Amino acid sequence: MTSFPIQLTSVSDIKAFVDAASRLDCDVDVICGRYLVDGKSIMGLFSIDLSAPIQVQVQGSQAQADIFKGAIQKFLVK
């Protein structure tokens, strides 16, 4: 499992994130406070507070996490 923070600020950001997550064959979890939602669910992402950075957990191999991070690099919080 690999975990890292991201920031999504628009509807197009959410759509791009879900599209990238859906291409993975492992689970992608998004954690916002005490809530955990499926990163492949656009409705799940709309149900959480996105005004601050959120934590992403890729439940797959390090290679899968690296590919995913590359696909969503513009959302990573430095």
Side-chain angles (χ1 to χ4, degrees):
M1 175 181 72
T2 303
S3 181
F4 50 89
I6 64 165
Q7 178 77 57
L8 301 173
T9 57
S10 69
V11 172
S12 62
D13 288 355
I14 293 170
K15 184 179 179 326
F17 177 86
V18 170
D19 288 345
S22 295
R23 287 193 290 270
L24 291 179
D25 63 352
C26 63
D27 289 338
V28 176
D29 296 328
V30 175
I31 301 165
C32 179
R34 60 180 209 201
Y35 298 103
L36 184 141
V37 298
D38 183 355
K40 297 179 182 183
S41 168
I42 199 161
M43 292 305 292
L45 289 174
F46 278 124
S47 72
I48 59 174
D49 179 14
L50 297 174
S51 63
I54 53 177
Q55 197 70 22
V56 175
Q57 289 182 343
V58 178
Q59 305 291 338
S61 68
Q62 186 62 48
Q64 289 171 312
D66 291 342
I67 290 168
F68 184 59
K69 281 176 85 172
I72 62 161
Q73 187 169 10
K74 66 182 177 178
F75 306 130
L76 295 175
V77 174
K78 309 260 187 292

